[in-house]
Amino acid sequence: MPAAKGLFRRAICQSMPGTYFTPRLATAITQAMTEPLGVPATIEDLVRVTPRALIDATAAVIARMLEFVDVWGPVALTPTPFSPVVDGEILPCAPWRGLADSAARDVELLVGHTRDEFRLYTSQPGHQPTASQIATAFDHLAPPHGQQCYRAAHPAADPTQLFEILTSDWLFRMPSLHLADAAHAGGGRVWIYELAWSFNSRQGASHCLDFLLVFGTLSPTEAAARPSPRGPRTTPRRPSDAHRLDNLRSRRHTGLGAHDPRSRTTRVYDTTTTDQPYPHRPSRRIWTTHRFDTLDLPT
C-alpha cells in the first residue's frame, strides 16, 4: 500500500493466503450475499442492513460455495468468500508482484506457515471431502498435470490426504513461499519458517495453531488432554518459547540465515527447533512455474 510507505520497519506474515480479488470478483461475491436481502451491493445500502442479517446472508453463501465454482473460480473452494480487493489505488497490485518490484524492500519480512494448514477444515466433523469435491479441487486449483504430479510425489496418500496437501499448498504454503521469493527478488531481507509441532493427532499442525504458540495461550494441561501423536507428555513450551522469541527478536539475533531461493533455509518449530531446507520440496517443484496474482472472474 503506497499510503503505508515508511510506516513499518519489520513485518510478520503467518500463513499468507493466496486469495486477492479484482473488483469484478468482489462485486459478484457481494451481490450473491445482498440479493436475498433485497438491497444493492453498495456501502450506502448495506449500512441499513442489521449485522445479524449480514451474518446470516454470509453463512448462507458459505454453505453454497461449491455451487459458484464455475462463476467465481477457485475462491469457491476456500473456507471464506472474503479477501482483500486489489483496486488499483489503495492496493495497486497483489503482494507477490509488489514485493518483486521492490515496493517494500526496506521492510524486513518473516513469513511462514504450518505443516498441515488445511487439516483445520478437513478434520471437522462432516467436512470430509467427497470424491466430487476432490476432483473439482484438482481441476480448479492444481497446476497443469497437478493430480498426476501429486500422486507421484505422495504415492502412499489416499484421496483425502492428497486433497489436504493440495489445498494447503494452494491456499497457504505456496503463497507464503512465493512471497518470500518475491521479497528476495525485490531486494528485501526475508526469513521463512514452518510450524511442525502439534498436540492433536486429528488436527496436526493445522492453520492457526501458531497463534496459540506465539501468544502463549495453549497451556500444557490443555495440550496433554488431547490425543497426541507424541504421547501424553508432549508440551507446547519449547516450540512456543522458540516461536515467540524469534518473533520478538531482530532477525540478526536469531541465528537463522536470510532466505535465499537457492537454499531456502527454513526454521522448523517442533519439539526441537531446527534450520533445514524447505520441507515441502515436492510441492515447491510442482508449483515452480505458477504465478500467484489477483483472482478474477473466470473468462
Side-chain angles (χ1 to χ4, degrees):
M1 294 174 60
K5 185 74 173 178
L7 297 181
F8 301 95
R9 188 157 62 96
R10 296 191 182 102
I12 300 171
C13 183
Q14 298 183 195
S15 299
M16 167 76 179
T19 52
Y20 283 74
F21 296 168
T22 65
R24 291 200 317 163
L25 176 57
T27 298
I29 293 172
T30 307
Q31 287 173 340
M33 297 178 186
T34 59
E35 284 176 0
L37 299 174
V39 298
T42 67
I43 293 176
E44 293 76 17
D45 291 288
L46 287 173
V47 294
R48 301 199 303 268
V49 179
T50 66
R52 171 51 59 186
L54 288 175
I55 291 172
D56 291 343
T58 300
V61 167
I62 290 175
R64 300 171 49 222
M65 290 274 277
L66 277 175
E67 298 177 18
F68 295 97
V69 68
D70 292 329
V71 182
W72 297 348
V75 68
L77 300 169
T78 67
T80 172
F82 300 116
S83 286
V85 178
V86 178
D87 64 350
E89 181 181 354
I90 302 299
L91 194 60
C93 62
W96 305 273
R97 186 179 301 181
L99 265 64
D101 291 341
S102 303
R105 65 180 303 167
D106 297 327
V107 179
E108 294 184 344
L109 175 65
L110 173 63
V111 59
H113 53 70
T114 67
R115 183 191 60 203
D116 309 306
E117 288 278 2
F118 211 78
R119 199 176 299 175
L120 175 68
Y121 308 103
T122 57
S123 64
Q124 296 177 16
H127 284 73
Q128 290 291 306
T130 64
S132 175
Q133 288 174 317
I134 294 171
T136 300
F138 274 98
D139 286 343
H140 287 82
L141 303 184
H145 310 294
Q147 189 159 12
Q148 297 93 321
C149 292
Y150 271 99
R151 283 176 175 167
H154 305 279
D158 61 34
T160 297
Q161 290 170 327
L162 286 177
F163 173 84
E164 180 196 305
I165 297 169
L166 168 66
T167 47
S168 294
D169 283 343
W170 181 83
L171 189 55
F172 295 116
R173 294 197 306 215
M174 294 303 106
S176 298
L177 182 62
H178 286 211
L179 190 75
D181 287 347
H184 179 273
R189 299 193 70 202
V190 58
W191 296 261
I192 57 176
Y193 76 85
E194 176 179 87
L195 174 62
W197 180 89
S198 65
F199 71 101
N200 187 324
S201 59
R202 182 168 54 87
Q203 291 188 344
S206 65
H207 187 57
C208 292
L209 176 58
D210 46 355
F211 293 159
L212 302 182
L213 299 184
V214 166
F215 291 106
T217 55
L218 178 63
S219 70
T221 301
E222 182 181 2
R226 303 290 181 127
S228 168
R230 293 186 175 86
R233 292 189 178 182
T234 186
T235 173
R237 183 162 298 164
R238 282 189 178 180
S240 180
D241 287 349
H243 208 347
R244 294 166 74 187
L245 283 174
D246 280 348
N247 277 19
L248 290 169
R249 292 185 296 191
S250 167
R251 294 299 97 206
R252 64 178 178 272
H253 293 148
T254 65
L256 173 62
H259 173 66
D260 184 329
R262 291 168 297 183
S263 60
R264 289 191 171 83
T265 301
T266 305
R267 176 148 292 181
V268 177
Y269 299 106
D270 207 328
T271 304
T272 301
T273 298
T274 58
D275 298 334
Q276 56 184 267
Y278 184 69
H280 305 285
R281 290 182 289 281
S283 293
R284 181 183 62 78
R285 288 192 292 268
I286 292 171
W287 290 86
T288 296
T289 60
H290 182 82
R291 293 294 176 265
F292 286 96
D293 207 338
T294 311
L295 297 177
D296 198 2
L297 292 173
T299 55

